Amino acid sequence: MFRNYIKTAWRSLKKNKTFTAINVLGLALGLTACLLIVLYVVDELSFDRYNNKADRIYRVNEDLKLGNNSVNYAVCMAPLAQTLKTDFPDVEDAVRIKRAAFHVKKGTENILEYNVAFADPSIFNVFTLPMVNGNATTALAEPNSIVITETTAKKYFNSTNVVGRDLRIDDQAGYKVTGVIKDMPKTSHFNFDFLVSMSTYPDSKSDKWLRSDYNTYVLFRKGADPKKLEVQLPAFLRKYAAGEMQNELNTSIDAFEKSGSYFRMNLTPLTDIHLHSDRSGELGTNSTVEYIYIFSAIALFILFIACVNFMNLSTARSSSRAREVGVRKVLGSSRGYLVIQFLTESTLVTLGATLIALAAATALLPAFNQLAGKEILINSHTYVWLLPVSLIIVLVIGFLAGSYPAFFLSAFQPADVLKGKLATGFKGGWLRSFLVVFQFGISIFLIIGTLVIYNQLNYIQTKNLGYNRNQVLVVKNAFELGKHAQSFKQEVKQLPGVASATLTGFLPTTQARSTSIFFKDASMTDQKSSIFPQTWQVDDDYIKTLGMKMAAGRNFSSQMATDSSGVIINETAARFLGFANPIDKQLYQSLDGSRTHFKVYHIVGVVKDFHFNSLRENISPVVMRLGEDTGDLSLRVSTTNLPALIAQLKEKWSGLSSSHFEYSFMDQDFEASYRSEQRIGKIFVVFTSLAILIACLGLFGLAAYAAEQRTKEIGIRKVLGANVTAIVGLLSKDFIKLILIAITISSPLAWYLMHKWLQDFAYRVNIEWYTIVIAGLGAMIIAVATISFQSIKAALANPVKSLKSE
Amino acid sequence: MIKITDLEKFYRTEEVETIALNKLSMEVRKGEFVAIMGPSGCGKSTLLNILGMLDDPDAGSYVFNDIEVAHFNERKRADLRKHNIGFVFQSFNLIDELTVFENVELPLIYTGVAAADRVKRVEEVLDKMQIMQRRNHYPQQLSGGQQQRVAIARAVVNNPKLILADEPTGNLDSSNGNDVMELLTDLNEQGTTIVMVTHSEHDARYSHRIIRLLDGHTVMENIMI
Ligand SMILES: Nc1ncnc2c1ncn2[C@@H]1O[C@H](COP(=O)(O)OP(=O)(O)O)[C@@H](O)[C@H]1O
Ligand SMILES: [Mg+2]
């Protein structure tokens, strides 16, 4: 009996090769896309879960508001970790991590390493970082001890058995490798190659409670409630910080809070950091949970579209098998048999599609990893959930797709089925109409979404940022040149092809940031009108080199001796300060936190606002002063022969320093800062296109089916004189009506949701009416093209042939 | 074998209600060969479908082999049908995806005959119908006459007591039609009861008795000699 089912099913699938291919491949394509997204989402959700104690680890954060300025920090004060451990029995352990960078000597070369952190010895108790060589409890106990990863060990020593070996750091001896750990997992919110004992860093012994520099993690005891600790934090903070507050800011915490300012601490669960945390001082670039939602939704949409296709086509095909059902019933098949037959058949087809999808997803994973910037692997751990999930998918989709023919067709009186009553049922299939509307609704929604996202990304890239990032070459790490940095700048300025040059690490595209408080009055008590701006040290070529514009006043000038105490502020800072005319007004900055020891600045100019944060955020206040920062040397170049210029720069550099010559272009640095957004955009476009393709595949199948169903009708109409256009119109009319309904329903919804998405950006595009028209028209054109192909084929067929076959 | 009394069947469409069978009563005895004739649309196929338990009547009684079956549910009807009744249709109704052999085998599968027995019985009946050499062909590869012989083979493979044939020669030329009528006559002579719907007086002459229907009602019965 079972063999007979499979035999009939197989032959019927083989006979309708086009349908079968569309059906199986459409579903396989949908499942593949869905699977890749699921792998992505699972990877994102798995961040930091490699830690055995992940559920007991929390990061301590600090929220600060001073006057108009508020900052949320991911870092805390030096004494915090130890004090929490002694004051709260619930805290089993705590660890501080401080990001750093240094040069490591390899042969004669000094390599600048960025993935470096100072860490307390407890890091190995809190986090799960397996030690390959060395003793985890003592490795970071002594100053100048360094734990490195396996890859780093191989890079510097060609071996992982290197405990006890020396490392030269910043060209100084005295550092020892005390341990080798496994490389940190990609799914960690921090990723370091070097862990240096915290005791190596003198500031780590500081007892200051108003300076925050350390990412601090606490490990709670089993069963402890972190909420309980969180409610005690205000009192805790008061106990330790009140004294310093009084001394340095001349205010009590009560008065401070009364003035609308605050200073608070809170906890973030370790496993929330990657998707939910976007604070100042994060150890790495985090993602946002919003993308997880968007991608999950797209995966569901695609799966839904693919399933709908599968159901629609299976159902459509099944009515052509109505006669078979009738005959089987006449010959004695009970309803149960038929139900089983159809369900078996659709489950087998789903199984086939799922197997293809699993193979395709595996094959496409490297390409997907590249697109998404991930390193996802399918391994035995993946199969633990993947196989059961696949099985569920096979059973659920198999059942859904098979249920219509199974239960609907088998319920008919055989006499009716044989009479071909079902053949006419195609047009009236309201369920199918509903599904087509839904499917196209989703596609149109996705088209609109993609267009809006693309517009926004494009807007970010072409927006006038208030400075000119084109034709700016950045020579990195000019501090490597030491005291020669200035002379290097002067020499470089003389080179043909260099219009101007500025020596500073404070660029709109870099992460070099420092903040401090400026007051409007010498008493330095009025926090309300104080500002908490980024304070950048620049030189007098800065404004010119970066192509910024002055709104008022003037640029720094080396001719003016008083400019050493002059500042240029941006328009936002001017607005925050509230001066009617800011030029020549004074600003006061405390030098050591006290009110007696301060410096007075006068405003020489106001620079037009320029963007240096993500466009998701509003521009914040900036104060620039003349300084000797030698972070980078930026050149405005006016030559087309860049290779020659770069060669010249390199030669000059090599004459002054043994370290590596590194450079980049500012526009590329800018692009890099939006890489994650661009990635997301690309992934979105790829999967949306897939969704639309799958939807069209389904429409193609349905149109083909409708044409086949009406072969006889078309034949008769042609015999009676209908031309091709009339017949194409006849066949397309029903579908076009459905697509119009889909457009009407989904475009307002898409408009609304995308409008909400855009609210996340401080600077954003509008959704233009033509975006929606383009999306609707696009969907319509694709659909009509798809349908026409089938309709024209049907219309051109020889009517004699179709009539004879009846 | 068959006794129906005051059988009624209506078809309701949105606008009209058609009375297909109107208080129809008739009887068919074991071993009889009965032809049903009448103008198009008078309810012949409806009657045959009800006799074959492919459809249920709206009112009246239907006694098959001394069992009242008018109220039977689908499962019981299917059970009774597969052991007792064979069907032959005007349009053959063979399954396109199955070969000649597999089409004929189907009723045996549904009645649970063992595989080895099935091969034997199918080959026997194909031999009898002289289509053995076509056993591995698909229906589309056969002529109309051959297809109808396959359909008859399928109808008789289970040795049913009753064969219901709805215009079995309607799609055939006269020579093929005569072959089919000869086959049915042979079967009848071996004891199978046959009820056949036909438009052809020529075909009707093969039967023992003609029942003439008009608008769902018996008009008269002629006994053939
Ligand atoms: N499924 C149906 N729905 C509505 N009316 C039907 C249906 N089947 C048959 N009829 C009507 O019932 C009557 C008898 O039909 P039928 O038994 O097929 O006639 P015959 O086989 O004698 O030509 C006709 O008037 C026909 O239109
Ligand atoms: Mg009829």
Side-chain angles (χ1 to χ4, degrees), chain A residues 1 4 7-8 11-12 15 323-324 327-333 337 413-416 418-419, chain B residues 11 49 54-56 74 81-82 87 89 93-99 102 106 109-110 138 154:
Chain A
M1 179 77 67
N4 188 275
K7 202 156 57 188
T8 330
R11 287 191 194 147
S12 138
K15 192 173 141 201
R323 204 167 60 94
E324 179 196 333
V327 173
R328 281 182 184 274
K329 285 189 106 171
V330 167
L331 298 179
S333 174
Y337 283 154
Q413 293 287 4
D416 289 338
L418 284 179
K419 249 184 253 168
Chain B
Y11 288 111
N49 286 337
L54 299 178
D55 216 346
D56 28 40
E74 160 123 35
R81 182 165 68 227
K82 70 182 171 193
F87 290 88
F89 301 96
N93 277 331
L94 298 173
I95 295 181
D96 291 341
E97 285 77 22
L98 298 181
T99 62
E102 288 159 353
L106 217 47
I109 292 177
Y110 288 125
Y138 286 91
R154 189 178 63 183

Side-chain angles (χ1 to χ4, degrees), chain A residues 683-701:
Chain A
I683 300 177
F684 201 82
V685 170
V686 167
F687 286 103
T688 323
S689 318
L690 265 180
I692 295 163
L693 178 72
I694 297 172
C696 283
L697 221 67
L699 200 64
F700 183 81

Side-chain angles (χ1 to χ4, degrees), chain A residues 415-416 419 421, chain B residues 9-13 16-21 36-49 55 166-167 197 199 213 215-216:
Chain A
D416 289 338
K419 249 184 253 168
K421 217 178 152 191
Chain B
K9 179 74 182 174
F10 315 107
Y11 288 111
R12 281 169 204 94
T13 54
V16 285
E17 183 180 281
T18 318
I19 303 173
L21 296 177
I36 297 173
M37 297 192 77
S40 194
C42 70
K44 306 181 296 288
S45 296
T46 306
L47 172 62
L48 214 61
N49 286 337
D55 216 346
D166 194 347
E167 300 185 38
V197 167
H199 275 302
L213 289 187
D215 288 341

Side-chain angles (χ1 to χ4, degrees), chain A residues 714 722-736 784-785 787-796:
Chain A
I714 293 168
N723 61 13
V724 176
T725 327
I727 287 169
V728 171
L730 174 82
L731 287 171
S732 311
K733 201 178 63 199
D734 295 338
F735 288 111
I736 289 172
V784 169
I787 299 163
S788 301
F789 179 80
Q790 288 300 342
S791 312
I792 290 174
K793 217 174 88 187
L796 290 175

Side-chain angles (χ1 to χ4, degrees), chain A residues 524 588-601:
Chain A
M524 295 197 290
Y588 300 82
Q589 181 191 29
S590 168
L591 291 178
D592 58 357
S594 77
R595 283 171 301 142
T596 45
H597 201 184
F598 58 83
K599 183 162 179 176
V600 189
Y601 291 95

